[in-house]
Amino acid sequence: MSALLSPSDDQGLGAGYHSPQVAVDVRLNTNESPYPPPRAFVHALATELADVAFNRYPDREARELRAALGRLHGVDPEQVFVANGSNEVLQTLLLTYGGPGRRAAVFEPTYALHSHLGRLTRTGLWVGERQPDFGLDLGEVKRAAAEADPAVTFVCSPNNPTGGAEPRAVVEEVLDLAPGLVVVDEAYGQFAPWSALDLVGPDVGLVVVRTYSKTWSMAAARLGYLVGPAAVVAELERRVLPYHLDAVKQAAGRLALRFTAEMEARVAAIKDERRRILDGLDRLAVEWWPSDANFVLFRPTTGDGRELWARLVERSVLVRDVGEWPRLSGCLRVTVGTPAENDAFLAALYEALDQGQEDL
Ligand code: PMP
């Protein structure tokens, strides 16, 4: 093949960021909602689709969607930036505030895409550690500021894949310590006891990133957004591709917000199920970490996590093997599913651990 077709230096991108997709009955590996959105939402969207001017480009500024999100959060539409999944929001943030000669601070273990996007945008990465319980370590945030002067500091709350949300006082402290923009990734924000949305203001270097992929049951639509200072949103808008958000998605995102009560009911049901999973884990030979999200991190107390993952797949249950992530050797992450899926998971785990004992 021509040398011209070789990609530029891959900056350690590896195989990219993917969760392996395996054909199983019970898929609890990507933190989606186990429930579809309400039928009434699907009907409302179908009705609106009939009126979409498909021959025309969509509203480039997604004004109606941003106004609806503004109403939801009590902010101006100019404070809302929308994109194709919160991943594109994060990428646009790094295209805008990162890049060569700049650094982003991440605190491991955390959502791997933050550093992946850092590499992709050629932003230097400053990698700090979390505390033993995986909460943010403010000493590390201070060290990042002193050593790297990061243009972007990532706070993932609740943190994927460990599950805990940061207390408000910690995020306030990060805002004091971090020299650049603080990005609070709240992909699982509705499961948490509080939201950093409360702290957003025109003169605060904070953006809060949210997604439709989890609590809104719309992972297929690929829609995410952030709330932050209007001046930041204006800079992000200058970096995205023209008409990056299609008309169908804009309508879907706007209509979904009519069904907020249903979303909240799903969140409550998933929290109940999370409790039931933890009660189940308590009876098994695993260690687990408290969760403010729709997933739980756990590890077998004896034996190998990777082997356990394979035994669960044999029983048609797919969880995420996060054993390769920093400090998570042997750990697995299970997404909270429907009651039937969670029963299947607990039964498969019981058997798989038992098989492990027999193998000893
Ligand atoms: N942030 C975190 C912490 C996540 O776990 C995920 C989903 N894995 C995302 C962002 C990306 O979500 P989206 O589907 O909106 O791109």
Side-chain angles (χ1 to χ4, degrees):
M1 218 191 291
S2 156
L4 281 177
L5 286 183
S6 63
S8 57
D9 172 14
D10 82 358
Q11 308 262 322
L13 288 180
Y17 179 78
H18 303 287
S19 180
Q21 295 294 322
V22 181
V24 289
D25 294 336
V26 181
R27 282 176 42 189
L28 302 175
N29 65 327
T30 44
N31 296 346
E32 295 142 314
S33 170
Y35 300 110
R39 288 310 298 167
F41 159 78
V42 179
H43 290 312
L45 180 58
T47 305
E48 283 230 3
L49 285 188
D51 293 331
V52 169
F54 278 102
N55 54 320
R56 299 291 179 192
Y57 284 113
D59 174 13
R60 186 167 172 168
E61 291 164 48
R63 275 168 294 200
E64 287 186 35
L65 172 58
R66 290 166 69 201
L69 284 165
R71 280 193 295 278
L72 177 72
H73 293 304
V75 299
D76 294 337
E78 292 73 27
Q79 291 181 258
V80 182
F81 172 76
V82 279
N84 294 282
S86 55
N87 286 340
E88 195 192 27
V89 175
L90 296 166
Q91 175 175 276
T92 311
L93 280 166
L94 284 174
L95 285 172
T96 307
Y97 294 100
R102 293 185 165 209
R103 282 154 309 280
V106 296
F107 304 94
E108 296 287 1
T110 191
Y111 183 42
L113 205 84
H114 296 158
S115 25
H116 181 76
L117 289 171
R119 288 187 283 273
L120 203 60
T121 56
R122 290 169 157 69
T123 309
L125 284 171
W126 189 92
V127 182
E129 292 260 339
R130 286 169 177 270
Q131 301 190 54
D133 70 356
F134 297 131
L136 214 54
D137 180 340
L138 289 170
E140 287 288 90
V141 178
K142 210 178 279 179
R143 198 162 69 83
E147 289 180 9
D149 193 24
V152 175
T153 296
F154 283 106
V155 176
C156 193
S157 178
N159 188 45
N160 180 8
T162 55
E166 297 302 333
R168 183 187 175 113
V170 168
V171 176
E172 283 174 340
E173 192 71 19
V174 175
L175 287 172
D176 276 350
L177 294 171
L181 186 68
V182 175
V183 176
V184 179
D185 184 339
E186 287 193 356
Y188 307 95
Q190 291 94 337
F191 295 105
W194 77 287
S195 170
L197 284 164
D198 297 351
L199 305 176
V200 169
D203 301 320
V204 185
L206 166 70
V207 293
V208 178
V209 180
R210 290 260 173 133
T211 179
Y212 279 75
S213 298
K214 316 292 177 181
T215 46
W216 291 102
S217 293
M218 283 170 60
R222 307 301 300 122
L223 183 58
Y225 62 96
L226 68 69
V227 176
V232 170
V233 172
E235 288 300 329
L236 301 175
E237 294 289 356
R238 294 175 60 210
R239 269 100 183 155
V240 285
L241 294 172
Y243 310 110
H244 72 299
L245 211 69
D246 66 77
V248 176
K249 190 172 307 200
Q250 291 187 30
R254 181 168 42 78
L255 293 172
L257 305 185
R258 291 189 191 160
F259 301 91
T260 305
E262 287 84 344
M263 180 276 283
E264 284 166 356
R266 290 193 300 273
V267 168
I270 287 169
K271 282 173 152 178
D272 287 347
E273 278 300 296
R274 183 179 71 200
R275 182 71 257 156
R276 217 165 59 77
I277 290 184
L278 295 180
D279 289 346
L281 294 182
D282 261 342
R283 290 193 283 273
L284 298 173
V286 296
E287 146 182 46
W288 55 265
W289 283 264
S291 170
D292 296 304
N294 65 338
F295 55 84
V296 176
L297 182 74
F298 68 100
R299 159 159 65 194
T301 42
T302 55
D304 180 42
R306 174 89 213 158
E307 180 64 37
L308 181 59
W309 179 87
R311 285 199 202 119
L312 290 171
V313 171
E314 277 165 24
R315 290 165 177 82
S316 215
V317 174
L318 181 61
V319 298
R320 186 79 190 259
D321 178 5
V322 294
E324 304 269 292
W325 297 27
R327 285 174 52 197
L328 297 185
S329 170
C331 288
L332 303 177
R333 187 195 70 195
V334 61
T335 305
V336 179
T338 62
E341 288 172 331
N342 302 330
D343 284 343
F345 160 68
L346 287 170
L349 185 62
Y350 178 85
E351 276 182 27
L353 287 165
D354 202 38
Q355 185 192 336
Q357 295 296 314
E358 281 165 17
D359 290 349
L360 286 177

